Amino acid sequence: MSSDITFSIIKPDAMGREDEGKILTRITEAGFRIAALKMIHLTLQQAREFYAVHHDKPFYPGLVEFMSSGPVIAMVLRHENAVEEFRNLIGNTDPEKAEKGTIRADFATTIQRNAVHGSDSPENALREAAFFFSSLEIF
Ligand code: UDP
Ligand code: MG
């Protein structure tokens, strides 16, 4: 697998508003190639595992409840310098601080319900991609 991948989730808030088509268009028009994609409704336990790195944070219980509250779209994306480029495309975690024109500025409502996930390092991108997809499912 190329190291120029990142992993993303379209979160339940954006799915509930049926914004997934618009968000996918933003992503592909920014030059990301979809290498894997699936819709899945995480169990609470799966959401806890995915966000285990945050288990000590005060926002963890609310976050895992939210992330298991409805279906999401999980995907692996290819681009040169994918992790950093994708973080630039989605913007700050807090939509109030997200730069104009970013996905979170346009689609997120709160710091928790912030529309999309993006990996924070190439190592975590590989780990997160492997959490959702087998190597045979990544193109
Ligand atoms: N989050 C939250 N409250 C906070 C910070 C984060 O509910 O004060 C949620 C939010 O959905 C965020 C996720 O936890 O996307 C993971 O937090 P992280 O700091 O990794 O932000 P990200 O990498 O998603 O920008
Ligand atoms: Mg993060």
Side-chain angles (χ1 to χ4, degrees):
M1 205 190 299
S2 151
S3 66
D4 274 1
I5 64 140
T6 192
F7 174 79
S8 177
I9 297 176
I10 301 180
K11 298 189 179 186
D13 59 319
M15 298 291 291
R17 290 188 304 270
E18 300 184 10
D19 279 338
E20 63 271 24
K22 289 181 206 156
I23 292 173
L24 283 168
T25 298
R26 293 273 190 110
I27 292 170
T28 54
E29 285 187 346
F32 289 84
R33 196 166 72 68
I34 296 171
L37 183 147
K38 74 170 77 163
M39 190 148 100
I40 181 171
H41 189 154
L42 293 171
T43 64
L44 187 58
Q45 189 49 41
Q46 286 167 333
R48 284 185 183 132
E49 257 181 72
F50 181 74
Y51 280 113
V53 58
H54 291 308
H55 79 277
D56 286 337
K57 310 265 172 62
F59 61 80
Y60 180 72
L63 171 63
V64 296
E65 184 85 37
F66 162 57
M67 288 302 291
S68 59
S69 67
V72 300
I73 289 176
M75 56 199 150
V76 179
L77 301 169
R78 289 193 189 281
H79 196 287
E80 201 182 319
N81 198 18
V83 166
E84 196 183 333
E85 289 298 322
F86 193 70
R87 299 283 305 194
N88 291 339
L89 180 69
I90 67 178
N92 194 282
T93 308
D94 182 350
E96 305 231 317
K97 296 182 189 147
E99 304 70 11
K100 202 164 174 284
T102 60
I103 292 177
R104 281 169 166 169
D106 292 341
F107 294 97
T109 49
T110 68
I111 193 166
Q112 178 193 78
R113 301 172 72 81
N114 61 2
V116 282
H117 167 82
S119 306
D120 63 5
S121 68
E123 300 69 41
N124 282 336
L126 290 174
R127 188 183 60 76
E128 292 171 359
F131 184 87
F132 282 85
F133 298 99
S134 84
S135 58
L136 294 175
E137 295 173 313
I138 302 172
F139 297 92

